[in-house]
Amino acid sequence: PNLKILVSHGGGAVPYHLGRFQASTEPDLKGGKKARIPIEGTFLSNLRKMYFDTCMYSQEGIECLIKVVGSSQCLFGTECPGMGMARRPDGRSYDNVEDYIKNISWLSEAERQGIFSGNAIKLFKLKDGERIVAGLAVNDPALMLAGAIPAALLAFGLQGLFELAERRVVSR
């Protein structure tokens, strides 16, 4: 469907537990049982249809996210004031994640710029001079921003969310 989902906090533990979620969508080893959660495609291919912010408090976490979903699905995000108002060992705020992204050596400059701005411009279909106000740029009616998506993923599965969106049950 045309629904675009932006998941906060890097998807929580979803990228880290990719194998666990993927396993639930595959048939058992003996071949006697079908997938516990039958979906169209794989869990990973469905996950890569979503977008994720980088509001995570470690470079390792952000790297895991980017490796799992791809840099094109990541948007720069931070929260201030938020839980990260604590001081990191280097003296900076945990909310400051810009340096983590800048320090990922295997990202190309184009991928880095995509995360910092290009991916959001594309997702929100922004034109020169347009801004996102209070986290919402609603010039795309099929956009859904949700902080509770990880819980919804567990409850409905990706296919269920896409089916709900197709029936337009999900509202802004």
Side-chain angles (χ1 to χ4, degrees):
N2 293 324
L3 177 70
K4 295 178 179 111
I5 301 172
L6 174 54
V7 184
S8 64
H9 300 283
V14 173
Y16 182 77
H17 287 289
L18 173 64
R20 178 176 278 280
F21 292 110
Q22 183 71 27
S24 66
T25 64
E26 302 289 346
D28 74 357
L29 289 173
K30 297 176 187 170
K33 293 182 182 176
K34 294 181 180 179
R36 289 183 293 275
I37 303 173
I39 61 172
E40 188 175 316
T42 66
F43 182 84
L44 181 58
S45 67
N46 283 294
L47 191 67
R48 288 181 174 164
K49 293 176 184 176
M50 297 185 207
Y51 297 86
F52 300 82
D53 76 13
T54 60
C55 187
M56 304 170 76
Y57 298 131
S58 73
Q59 184 168 328
E60 297 83 1
I62 294 172
E63 287 182 12
C64 177
L65 172 67
I66 296 169
K67 286 178 181 178
V68 169
V69 301
S71 65
S72 65
Q73 302 309 110
C74 297
L75 282 68
F76 181 74
T78 187
E79 64 182 5
C80 191
M83 293 299 293
M85 288 301 292
R87 189 171 305 193
R88 299 186 329 202
D90 65 4
R92 300 181 79 182
S93 166
Y94 275 99
D95 285 318
N96 186 348
V97 301
E98 179 185 14
D99 60 327
Y100 292 151
I101 296 165
K102 285 183 175 179
N103 291 330
I104 299 174
S105 62
W106 44 265
L107 275 179
S108 71
E109 190 55 33
E111 291 170 319
R112 194 172 280 109
Q113 286 309 310
I115 292 169
F116 284 133
S117 62
N119 298 341
I121 290 168
K122 181 180 171 187
L123 173 65
F124 293 112
K125 299 180 183 176
L126 298 176
K127 297 175 183 81
D128 286 341
E130 276 187 298
R131 296 183 323 144
I132 298 174
V133 179
L136 298 173
V138 191
N139 54 1
D140 182 350
L143 180 69
M144 179 176 109
L145 300 174
I149 290 298
L153 286 174
L154 296 175
F156 295 109
L158 288 170
Q159 193 65 32
L161 277 179
F162 291 133
E163 287 170 11
L164 283 173
E166 224 167 69
R167 287 181 272 171
R168 305 213 182 268
V169 172
V170 178
S171 63
R172 299 186 298 164

